Every structure is written in structure tokens, then in C-alpha cells.
């Protein structure tokens, strides 16, 4: 399996013409996008990607043997060839995507929602090695970039953040990184490096697997349970970041008061800061899940398939809107694959509603929503019970899937709840394992 990772190295020296370089590159992309939109009927007839690209380049670039149809070289003189080709590729992709979306829109017959061709997009220049990017001396946190100073393309020395330069060789040692791309985030400039790795995911048999079942929540960020196929629980952990959430909710309160007094016209900066806090909370939660799974040598990380559709209402609708459940799972999936762990998802219906001991539906506490009461009178943490059920559903599915139909029917007759996956709980896994052992012994 191939995974692609990226890391942004912050540029410390800011008095370099990075803004002018980004502007001239985006102007070139916008100009090329307008050109290729005009001649797309001619370009779309060329099926081969390489020939289409060469034809598009000949339209705008003058050589001894080629006369360009458009004045791109006059508008953007001395632009490095690699940067010009990157802009051509980006413009061709934008026009091709627009034409595809326009064709799909016409087929639907809907009058509203016509796609638009965006010429001034947020394209980022790529600095190819040796011709636009050179590494500094060994042991020094510096590099050399070819930038546009408003008149000409010149080499500039840039200083890079030391902690970032220490991270790359420590975590990507022996891996080939791609050419860096310049990007701007929060008024700072970064060099974004990408690395492609070939990883082999674990192929441990189901009966020998150790899984980490994760219940993502709002009150508690995540509850993890380490479990074996027979239902043995090897470990439990509650992952929560109360100080980070308190800081975010405090900023939300400030926004609420500001909007009440002054309206919502000047709250963009406050909302941007809140979103950054929320993103950082998701990163910390995903990192903590991966570290715990790695500490316990988990083969698979199991999540719920969380799909929330329709309008969200109620007093907790803002918390639900800010809940980065998909982003956490996406980050965990990428990091887990790098560590050769697999990711699996199960149906989320009734995982929190049903008690793990098979006693039936639980009653949530009104004051503390994380606690619940079983029908037997037992008080328990609802998220922990849900994490048991998540792991049990994964094992029930994986244990029954490869069995012959006759053997599976026999086990389903002895343990009826496993027929319907949305009602399976942890107690059903224990019963299923016992019946499988008896059937094996017989």
C-alpha cells in the first residue's frame, strides 16, 4: 500500500519576496486558465495526456522551432521553465474539471447551481530541486530558493525553523521527499515537503488479532479499549483534553457576546481562531489514539461509521457542529497505515444505547450524560460500554464472515442476537466464542 505524507517547514526569514512569487505564479495560472478555456475544444480532441500537455505548452511558449499563439512569454518574461510547466498543468486540470462538472450539470437539467470556472485560485508554486530549490550547508537550518523580486528571478537564502528541520530526518530518515511547495498559513510562509512510502499492512488472523476499539464522543474526546477475539479486555483509556476544550468554549462565549452587541460583521478573525483551536484539538485526539494503539501492539483500530444527516437541533447543536469526528478518523487512518495497522468501521446503531452485559437499553443521567444506569441497576460509563460493543461487533463480523453457511447458521441459532448486527453487544461475543470452542471440540 502506498501512503503520502506531508510536512510544512516554517520559513523564519520573512523579508524575502515570497508574496511577489506567489502573486506572479497565480497570475500566470489565471492567464493560462483563460487561454485553455477558449481552446478547450481543440485540446479535448487529444486523448493522450502527454501530447495534450505538449500542445498546450506550444500555444504559449516561444522557441526557435515554435511560434506561440499567445503572448504568455511577453507577459511573464524569464519565468523558470519548471514553474511555467507547473502552471500549465494546474491550468489544464482546472479547465478539465470545469468542463466535466459543466457536462454533469447539463445532464441533470437543473437550472440553478451552474458550475463556474475559477481563474484566480489558490495555486501554490513548486520549487524543483537544483533549478529552484537548493539545500543549505550540512548542519545549518537554511535553504536557497529562486524567487521573483518584482523585476527578475534571483536566488535568496531563507532560514528554516530548527525544530522542523530536526523532525524531518528523525521521522523520514531514508525516505525520498518530493520537491517542496510554497504555502502561506496564518500570515506565515512554509515549505511543504511530501513523502511517498510503500507499507505492508498487518495480515494477522482474526483469532490472533488485538484491536483498539474507539468510541468518539463530545463530553470525552475518545474512549479506547484493547480487546482480543475471545472478549478479553487488555486495557482501557479515557482520552480527554479539558483545557483545550475550555479555551475553545471560552472563545465561543466571547463571539456570542460580541455578536449580540455588534452583529456578526466583524467576527471573522474570532471564528478563524476558534476553528484553529478545534483543529488542534482533533490533531491531539488522533495522536493520542494512535500512541495508545501502538503501545498495546494493536493490529486494527475500530471506529463507528458516523454519518449525521439532516438539520441538527437542540441545546448541543453547536458542539455537534464543531465535533471533528471525520477529521479525527481520517488522521488516525493515515497515521495507522504508516505504522502498518489497519482501520475498520462498524455500524454505530445502538452501541451506546445498549448495555455491554446484554441487559438491554440503558438510561442516561440527565446531569452527567457520560454515565448511565443498566436495567440491572448497575451504574457505568456509557462511552466505555459503547467501546466494548464496538470491538465486539467487529469480532462478530470477522469471525462469522469466513465460515460456511451451515456452520454459521448453527452458531446463529445458538446465539440469536448475532443475526442482527445492530443489536450485538459485548456479551454476545463472549457467548459466540464459547459456542465456537464447543463446536470445535465436538
Amino acid at each position: 500500500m502506498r501512503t503520502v505524507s506531508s510536512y510544512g517547514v516554517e520559513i523564519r526569514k520573512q523579508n524575502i519576496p515570497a508574496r511577489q512569487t506567489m502573486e506572479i505564479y497565480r497570475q500566470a495560472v489565471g492567464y493560462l486558465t483563460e487561454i485553455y478555456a477558449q481552446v478547450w475544444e481543440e485540446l479535448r480532441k487529444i486523448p493522450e495526456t502527454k501530447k495534450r500537455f505538449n500542445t498546450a505548452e506550444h500555444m504559449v511558449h516561444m522557441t526557435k522551432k515554435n511560434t506561440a499563439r499567445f503572448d504568455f512569454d511577453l507577459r511573464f518574461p524569464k519565468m523558470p521553465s519548471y514553474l511555467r510547466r507547473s502552471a500549465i498543468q494546474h491550468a489544464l486540470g482546472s479547465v478539465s474539471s470545469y468542463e466535466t462538472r459543466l457536462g454533469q450539470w447539463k445532464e441533470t437539467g437543473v437550472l440553478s447551481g451552474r458550475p463556474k470556472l475559477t481563474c484566480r485560485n489558490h495555486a501554490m508554486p513548486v520549487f524543483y530541486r537544483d533549478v529552484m530549490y537548493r539545500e543549505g550547508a550540512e548542519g545549518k537550518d537554511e535553504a536557497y530558493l529562486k524567487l521573483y523580486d518584482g523585476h527578475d528571478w534571483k536566488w535568496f537564502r531563507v532560514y528554516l525553523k530548527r525544530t522542523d528541520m530536526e523532525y524531518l530526518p528523525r521521522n523520514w530518515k531514508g525516505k525520498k521527499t518530493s520537491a517542496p511547495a510554497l504555502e502561506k498559513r496564518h500570515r506565515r510562509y512554509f515549505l511543504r515537503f511530501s513523502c511517498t512510502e510503500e507499507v505492508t499492512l498487518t495480515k494477522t488472523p482474526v483469532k490472533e488479532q488485538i484491536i483498539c476499539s474507539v468510541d468518539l464522543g463530545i463530553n470525552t474526546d475518545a474512549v479506547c479499549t484493547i480487546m482480543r477475539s475471545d472478549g478479553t479486555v487488555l486495557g482501557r483509556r479515557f482520552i480527554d483534553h479539558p483545557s483545550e476544550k475550555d479555551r475553545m468554549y471560552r472563545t465561543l462565549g466571547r463571539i456570542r457576546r460580541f455578536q449580540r452587541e455588534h452583529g456578526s460583521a466583524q467576527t471573522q478573525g474570532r471564528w478563524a481562531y476558534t476553528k484553529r483551536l478545534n483543529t488542534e484539538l482533533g490533531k491531539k485526539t488522533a495522536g493520542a489514539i494512535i500512541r495508545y494503539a501502538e503501545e498495546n501492539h494493536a493490529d486494527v483500530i475500530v471506529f463507528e461509521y458516523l454519518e449525521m444527516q439532516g438539520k441538527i437541533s437542540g441545546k448541543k447543536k453547536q458542539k455537534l457542529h464543531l465535533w471533528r469526528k471525520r477529521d479525527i478518523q481520517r488522521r488516525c487512518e493515515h497515521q495507522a497505515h504508516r505504522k502498518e495497522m489497519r482501520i475498520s468501521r462498524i455500524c454505530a446503531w445502538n452501541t451506546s444505547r445498549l448495555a455491554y452485559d446484554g441487559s438491554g437499553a440503558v438510561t442516561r443521567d440527565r446531569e452527567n450524560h457520560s454515565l448511565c444506569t443498566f436495567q440491572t441497576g448497575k451504574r457505568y460509563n456509557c462511552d466505555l460500554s459503547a467501546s466494548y460493543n464496538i470491538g465486539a461487533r467487529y469480532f462478530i463480523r470477522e469471525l462469522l464472515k469466513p465460515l460456511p453457511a451451515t456452520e454459521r447458521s448453527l452458531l446463529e441459532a445458538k446465539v440469536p442476537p448475532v443475526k442482527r448486527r445492530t443489536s450485538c453487544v459485548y456479551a454476545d461475543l463472549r457467548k459466540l466464542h464459547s459456542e465456537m470452542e464447543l463446536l470445535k471440540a465436538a
Side-chain angles (χ1 to χ4, degrees):
M1 180 180 180
R2 180 176 297 177
T3 62
V4 180
S5 308
S6 67
Y7 187 80
V9 178
E10 184 179 347
I11 299 176
R12 290 173 51 209
K13 186 180 179 182
Q14 301 291 341
N15 57 342
I16 56 174
R19 182 179 61 82
Q20 293 92 322
T21 304
M22 292 179 62
E23 281 297 320
I24 196 69
Y25 179 75
R26 289 178 177 177
Q27 290 174 13
V29 171
Y31 179 68
L32 290 171
T33 303
E34 294 177 355
I35 289 175
Y36 296 143
Q38 298 173 11
V39 299
W40 184 249
E41 291 299 326
E42 179 183 346
L43 292 174
R44 73 190 308 171
K45 297 178 182 178
I46 306 174
E48 296 184 15
T49 306
K50 189 175 182 180
K51 287 185 178 180
R52 181 187 293 180
F53 177 84
N54 292 337
T55 304
E57 187 177 19
H58 290 159
M59 289 180 178
V60 298
H61 181 53
M62 179 83 69
T63 61
K64 291 182 179 180
K65 298 181 180 180
N66 177 66
T67 301
R69 290 164 53 180
F70 301 95
D71 59 346
F72 177 83
D73 290 338
L74 296 177
R75 289 174 176 262
F76 305 95
K78 299 182 179 180
M79 176 172 277
S81 59
Y82 286 93
L83 207 61
R84 181 187 67 246
R85 290 167 185 165
S86 174
I88 291 172
Q89 191 67 49
H90 192 103
L92 286 174
S94 298
V95 177
S96 177
S97 174
Y98 164 73
E99 293 293 337
T100 303
R101 289 183 284 111
L102 182 62
Q104 294 174 349
W105 175 79
K106 289 180 178 179
E107 290 179 359
T108 59
V110 182
L111 298 178
S112 61
R114 180 186 177 93
K116 296 181 180 180
L117 178 62
T118 305
C119 297
R120 287 295 302 227
N121 48 31
H122 300 285
M124 297 294 179
V126 179
F127 291 86
Y128 294 92
R129 296 182 185 274
D130 298 331
V131 292
M132 296 199 67
Y133 168 79
R134 294 175 185 170
E135 295 181 353
E138 188 175 354
K140 293 187 177 180
D141 306 324
E142 62 183 16
Y144 294 88
L145 301 178
K146 200 171 188 179
L147 303 174
Y148 184 71
D149 63 352
H151 303 282
D152 199 0
W153 293 85
K154 299 179 181 178
W155 286 97
F156 290 86
R157 180 171 62 180
V158 297
Y159 295 96
L160 306 175
K161 196 171 182 180
R162 185 172 185 80
T163 54
D164 292 337
M165 296 303 293
E166 291 176 350
Y167 173 87
L168 288 176
R170 185 174 65 248
N171 293 274
W172 291 3
K173 187 177 181 180
K175 300 178 178 63
K176 187 177 181 180
T177 57
S178 66
L182 181 68
E183 67 174 9
K184 184 179 181 181
R185 290 190 291 117
H186 319 316
R187 300 181 182 179
R188 297 182 181 181
Y189 291 98
F190 296 80
L191 285 177
R192 172 70 59 177
F193 292 87
S194 297
C195 175
T196 303
E197 303 174 75
E198 292 289 342
V199 296
T200 303
L201 301 183
T202 178
K203 297 181 180 179
T204 308
V206 179
K207 293 184 179 180
E208 300 176 8
Q209 284 181 1
I210 298 175
I211 69 166
C212 177
S213 59
V214 182
D215 178 66
L216 298 177
I218 299 175
N219 300 312
T220 304
D221 294 331
V223 178
C224 303
T225 300
I226 305 298
M227 188 183 298
R228 289 188 180 274
S229 61
D230 59 352
T232 304
V233 175
L234 304 177
R236 303 172 297 180
R237 177 166 294 182
F238 291 81
I239 297 174
D240 200 18
H241 301 91
S243 59
E244 285 81 357
K245 287 191 287 188
D246 183 65
R247 188 181 300 114
M248 185 177 67
Y249 294 149
R250 190 164 60 248
T251 58
L252 289 173
R254 292 172 182 170
I255 293 172
R256 194 180 302 113
R257 291 190 295 271
F258 184 88
Q259 289 179 336
R260 191 182 301 121
E261 296 176 5
H262 308 285
S264 58
Q266 300 177 354
T267 58
Q268 293 87 350
R270 291 176 171 85
W271 273 115
Y273 177 66
T274 305
K275 290 179 181 178
R276 291 199 294 271
L277 290 177
N278 199 22
T279 302
E280 190 64 25
L281 177 62
K283 291 180 181 179
K284 289 184 177 181
T285 303
I289 293 171
I290 292 297
R291 284 193 298 271
Y292 183 63
E294 189 179 15
E295 289 172 4
N296 291 274
H297 310 287
D299 300 299
V300 185
I301 300 178
V302 186
F303 290 102
E304 294 173 301
Y305 182 77
L306 299 171
E307 186 67 32
M308 299 175 62
Q309 297 180 350
K311 186 177 180 180
I312 301 174
S313 59
K315 63 179 181 180
K316 288 192 175 183
K317 68 176 183 178
Q318 188 178 60
K319 289 185 178 181
L320 289 171
H321 276 297
L322 293 172
W323 187 25
R324 299 181 64 84
K325 52 189 180 301
R326 294 193 188 92
D327 181 62
I328 293 173
Q329 292 192 17
R330 179 180 59 83
R331 294 180 184 278
C332 285
E333 183 174 4
H334 178 74
Q335 296 180 35
H337 287 168
R338 288 195 67 194
K339 299 180 183 300
E340 302 181 354
M341 290 186 286
R342 294 183 179 271
I343 294 291
S344 184
R345 292 178 176 85
I346 57 96
C347 180
W349 290 6
N350 298 325
T351 53
S352 300
R353 184 173 176 270
L354 299 177
Y356 77 93
D357 60 356
S359 58
V362 302
T363 304
R364 290 280 188 114
D365 284 12
R366 293 186 177 182
E367 297 181 358
N368 189 354
H369 205 61
S370 296
L371 295 178
C372 63
T373 304
F374 295 176
Q375 292 186 7
T376 58
K378 183 178 180 179
R379 299 262 297 171
Y380 209 74
N381 186 282
C382 191
D383 298 331
L384 184 58
S385 174
S387 69
Y388 288 170
N389 294 337
I390 292 169
R393 288 189 184 182
Y394 167 78
F395 276 125
I396 290 172
R397 181 185 67 194
E398 298 299 321
L399 289 172
L400 292 177
K401 184 166 56 176
L403 296 179
T406 54
E407 189 174 344
R408 188 189 314 156
S409 300
L410 182 61
L411 290 171
E412 288 176 351
K414 294 183 177 180
V415 189
V418 300
K419 291 182 180 180
R420 189 179 181 185
R421 202 67 48 77
T422 56
S423 61
C424 294
V425 294
Y426 174 75
D428 300 327
L429 173 64
R430 300 301 298 266
K431 294 178 184 177
L432 178 65
H433 178 264
S434 302
E435 294 296 334
M436 291 181 71
E437 289 296 318
L438 293 174
L439 188 63
K440 183 179 179 182

